[in-house]
Amino acid sequence: MAILVLGGAGYIGSHTVDRLIEKGYDVAVVDNLVTGHRKSVNDKARFYQGDVRDTDFMNNVFDEEDIEGVIHFAAFSIVPESMKDPLKYFDNNTAGMVKLLEVMAKHDVKKIVFSSTAATYGEPKQIPIKETDPQVPTNPYGESKLAMEKIMHWSDVAYGIKFVALRYFNVAGAKPDGSIGEDHHPETHLVPIILQVAAGEREKLQIFGDDYPTDDGTNVRDYVHVVDLADAHILALEYLKEGKDSNAFNLGSSTGFSNKQMLDAAREVTGKEIPAEMAPRRAGDPSTLVAASDKARKVLGWDPQFDDVKEIIKTAWNWKQQHPQGYDDQGGKA
Ligand code: NAD
Ligand code: UDP
């Protein structure tokens, strides 16, 4: 039986497809390539180009494939864009989930692993953030993902579709051999932007805010390597295959790094100067986001291999040096 990966041509999806194949799973991918890259998808996966919201297309894929479970990455995820155009996010993300669950219910597919996010918590009341903490998003992106979690909950109650929601913190890095990596247009994430400066593609890094209540005044985030994240999806799938109940897990390292510390680490890894300047705060940035991730370790048996941000940055730098133009396929420009 096959695992269907929705959004499998994206950054995290392509690494998960790759790990599934390495571990011997039979994999099918659906992606409309709105931000993804065909070239990032492992050759051993069957690829269907289309939209999750296109019910006819999705019914055909479910007819064609003998699907055991779904891993759902297909979504938009740029916070400032969601502030400007919330309906784009509720349409693609939230309405996409409704369509998907309808097709799953119709084809009696009862397992889904879902990309949720720390953005569902909003401004945390305590650090580290626990799965049971209040979820009060501060932007439409986080709201669209929280709604998706709730829709899955009620679809479990009504149709018995079991889910695992994985709430990622900050994802970075690339497959260590440098064959796949992160290639977003526009790029908004800290690590790839720092490496664009290191590679001379950008003049300087702007650090958004140095007056936060943290040790050095810059935001603190919790970084997890993309391959460790991919492995958590496979563990979540196995958890559901064992017949266990729907659940939600944070995925982070439980350690915080400030934006200045990330810059220093990147300077050390790349040996480049990486010019930087302080800039005003970015709207909607919480001061500190660090996950309590002991639940994933205990319940799923998750054992992340990359516990050092320098090692994470090193793999992203390796990808960047091997692919200065990214996938160079004109793809991924939403
Ligand atoms: P990405 O943009 O690289 O990947 C998303 C993929 O989904 C792309 O290949 C895109 O073409 C595809 N897609 C989008 N809408 C689709 C649709 N309607 N039908 C079919 N395909 C569609 O993003 P990513 O960084 O890999 O993130 C993957 C998931 O993880 C997202 O759901 C995001 O919300 C979540 N997430 C990411 C991060 C992060 O730091 N990157 C953090 C928290 C959560
Ligand atoms: N950041 C920054 N300059 C940039 C991009 C990001 O200072 O050019 C900061 C951002 O304000 C946040 C941290 O880096 O404090 C991580 O941002 P990212 O967008 O990578 O992830 P987020 O935490 O928003 O999910």
Side-chain angles (χ1 to χ4, degrees):
M1 292 183 85
I3 304 304
L4 181 65
V5 182
L6 308 174
Y11 167 47
I12 304 168
S14 60
H15 284 82
T16 304
V17 169
D18 195 66
R19 288 297 276 173
L20 282 163
I21 302 265
E22 277 181 10
K23 288 177 183 281
Y25 290 85
D26 184 39
V27 182
V29 169
V30 160
D31 201 298
N32 63 5
L33 301 181
V34 64
T35 58
H37 305 271
R38 179 68 184 88
K39 283 186 190 169
S40 72
V41 182
N42 189 301
D43 288 342
K44 297 204 176 85
R46 292 177 295 290
F47 185 77
Y48 297 87
Q49 186 169 345
D51 197 299
V52 169
R53 293 162 295 177
D54 179 345
T55 307
D56 290 343
F57 161 74
M58 290 293 283
N59 275 321
N60 286 339
V61 173
F62 276 72
D63 286 341
E64 190 80 22
E65 298 282 345
D66 187 12
I67 296 166
E68 186 177 15
V70 171
I71 307 183
H72 184 26
F73 297 99
F76 291 138
S77 56
I78 300 177
V79 170
E81 184 189 51
S82 80
M83 296 291 286
K84 287 201 190 99
D85 195 356
L87 296 182
K88 178 174 174 180
Y89 279 68
F90 291 118
D91 177 29
N92 196 44
N93 299 0
T94 315
M97 177 62 94
V98 174
K99 297 277 182 207
L100 169 64
L101 290 168
E102 280 169 5
V103 174
M104 286 178 66
K106 183 172 169 190
H107 289 81
D108 211 26
V109 175
K110 298 269 170 84
K111 298 175 196 70
I112 176 167
V113 177
F114 168 62
S115 297
S116 190
T117 165
T120 60
Y121 292 112
E123 188 67 53
K125 297 271 175 299
Q126 58 170 17
I127 296 292
I129 302 169
K130 291 200 183 70
E131 286 85 351
T132 46
D133 284 354
Q135 288 177 289
V136 189
T138 52
N139 56 63
Y141 164 61
E143 195 76 72
S144 75
K145 288 267 165 171
L146 179 57
M148 292 163 90
E149 286 198 9
K150 290 184 175 172
I151 291 166
M152 287 190 301
H153 165 73
W154 292 111
S155 296
D156 177 5
V157 172
Y159 319 117
I161 298 176
K162 299 287 170 201
F163 70 93
V164 169
L166 297 175
R167 298 179 190 146
Y168 318 157
F169 281 63
N170 288 63
V171 189
K175 185 175 179 180
D177 73 1
S179 59
I180 51 175
E182 186 166 10
D183 184 13
H184 289 130
H185 302 270
E187 189 51 76
T188 60
H189 293 124
L190 181 67
V191 170
I193 286 179
I194 290 177
L195 297 182
Q196 285 176 349
V197 181
E201 289 166 26
R202 275 180 199 247
E203 200 189 324
K204 56 179 103 145
L205 171 72
Q206 291 198 308
I207 297 184
F208 299 139
D210 63 351
D211 57 351
Y212 286 97
T214 59
D215 285 349
D216 64 20
T218 64
N219 285 161
V220 170
R221 294 288 181 270
D222 177 344
Y223 291 86
V224 59
H225 193 274
V226 67
V227 174
D228 283 329
L229 197 79
D231 286 348
H233 291 74
I234 299 174
L235 291 167
L237 202 62
E238 291 303 324
Y239 166 95
L240 290 176
K241 277 164 74 171
E242 285 164 19
K244 295 189 176 143
D245 251 346
S246 295
N247 216 331
F249 300 94
N250 288 341
L251 297 179
S253 68
S254 308
T255 312
F257 288 87
S258 75
N259 294 341
K260 272 190 189 158
Q261 287 176 316
M262 292 302 284
L263 174 62
D264 287 342
R267 283 175 170 154
E268 210 177 309
V269 167
T270 61
K272 307 277 181 188
E273 188 196 343
I274 316 185
E277 64 181 13
M278 290 306 155
R281 288 182 175 201
R282 190 174 67 174
D285 270 342
S287 170
T288 299
L289 290 175
V290 176
S293 58
D294 46 311
K295 183 177 171 190
R297 290 162 206 258
K298 211 161 100 194
V299 179
L300 296 178
W302 188 47
D303 181 21
Q305 300 302 299
F306 291 85
D307 57 2
D308 177 352
V309 284
K310 279 190 222 137
E311 290 301 315
I312 295 178
I313 294 169
K314 203 186 274 178
T315 62
W317 183 231
N318 184 32
W319 149 259
K320 179 86 192 146
Q321 287 180 302
Q322 289 188 43
H323 299 84
Q325 309 300 323
Y327 288 104
D328 198 19
D329 57 359
Q330 302 301 308
K333 294 180 175 66

